[in-house]
Amino acid sequence: MAWEIPLRTIDDPEELAGPIDVLGIVRALNTGSQIFSSSRVDTVMGMTLIHVDPAQVAPVGPGECDNVFTILRTLTYPWTEEQPDPRLRGFLLQGPDRMRLYVDHEVDTDVVAADVRPSGASTALLAALPSLVEERERMVRGDIDDPHCSRLINLVDW
């Protein structure tokens, strides 16, 4: 199935819809069942094509998965020519608003796990992450029940 979403806004046909507007419509179209009038359904290249009327679709805002994706995307492809440091080795979703990032440095095999809250101040956290993983006072004391890391730091409330 394919959707045709007009890129002009409903209120002012001269103004283009922004990426956040279009993404909100796509999120809405992907949640729950949708019923479309047969006059809005067509076929193109063997696929069902639905002509979306933005006035009939209530955009849906970003959710937890969007925040998680932003964090992972920033750590793996930081929009610079330099390789990210620390490097992301893996991640684990631990709950509705908790994620564990596994990072290391290229010259070091010491894997550090950092518990973060995806809905938190992720931009500031990601900018400060290289220095935060080095701060020994943030390290969780005691036994770490995680075989994938040698140190664990708690950045949930950072």
Side-chain angles (χ1 to χ4, degrees), residues 39-92:
S39 65
R40 302 198 74 56
V41 178
D42 217 343
T43 303
V44 64
M45 297 180 358
M47 293 185 297
T48 302
L49 174 67
I50 298 173
H51 303 277
V52 177
D53 180 5
Q56 302 296 319
V57 179
V60 174
E64 178 191 344
C65 293
D66 292 301
N67 296 336
V68 168
F69 179 73
T70 299
I71 291 171
L72 296 176
R73 176 84 164 98
T74 302
L75 288 173
T76 57
Y77 194 70
W79 301 103
T80 64
E81 291 185 19
E82 299 173 13
Q83 291 295 317
D85 187 28
R87 299 181 303 179
L88 180 68
R89 301 250 329 230
F91 69 96
L92 176 65

Side-chain angles (χ1 to χ4, degrees), residues 35 42 58 71 95 112-113 146 158:
I35 299 174
D42 217 343
I71 291 171
V112 179
D146 190 338
W158 189 83

Side-chain angles (χ1 to χ4, degrees), residues 3-158:
W3 297 303
E4 181 182 60
I5 302 171
L7 296 181
R8 302 275 179 201
T9 62
I10 301 164
D11 302 329
D12 183 7
E14 297 297 318
E15 187 178 330
L16 291 174
I20 292 177
D21 301 321
V22 174
L23 191 55
I25 292 171
V26 170
R27 280 191 200 103
L29 293 170
N30 276 306
T31 56
S33 299
Q34 305 288 332
I35 299 174
F36 298 98
S37 165
S38 61
S39 65
R40 302 198 74 56
V41 178
D42 217 343
T43 303
V44 64
M45 297 180 358
M47 293 185 297
T48 302
L49 174 67
I50 298 173
H51 303 277
V52 177
D53 180 5
Q56 302 296 319
V57 179
V60 174
E64 178 191 344
C65 293
D66 292 301
N67 296 336
V68 168
F69 179 73
T70 299
I71 291 171
L72 296 176
R73 176 84 164 98
T74 302
L75 288 173
T76 57
Y77 194 70
W79 301 103
T80 64
E81 291 185 19
E82 299 173 13
Q83 291 295 317
D85 187 28
R87 299 181 303 179
L88 180 68
R89 301 250 329 230
F91 69 96
L92 176 65
L93 295 174
Q94 295 183 304
D97 194 25
R98 194 173 176 115
M99 179 169 73
R100 181 168 287 175
L101 301 171
Y102 295 98
V103 297
D104 73 351
H105 296 286
E106 190 172 344
V107 296
D108 191 6
T109 59
D110 185 30
V111 176
V112 179
D115 286 342
V116 299
R117 192 168 28 96
S119 67
S122 59
T123 303
L125 173 74
L126 293 170
L129 189 63
S131 61
L132 291 173
V133 297
E134 297 302 321
E135 294 179 4
R136 297 288 178 181
E137 62 271 6
R138 295 194 183 277
M139 198 167 63
V140 174
R141 305 282 180 221
D143 286 340
I144 302 171
D145 193 24
D146 190 338
H148 305 293
C149 64
S150 54
R151 289 188 295 136
L152 173 64
I153 58 172
N154 186 357
L155 300 175
V156 172
D157 295 322
W158 189 83

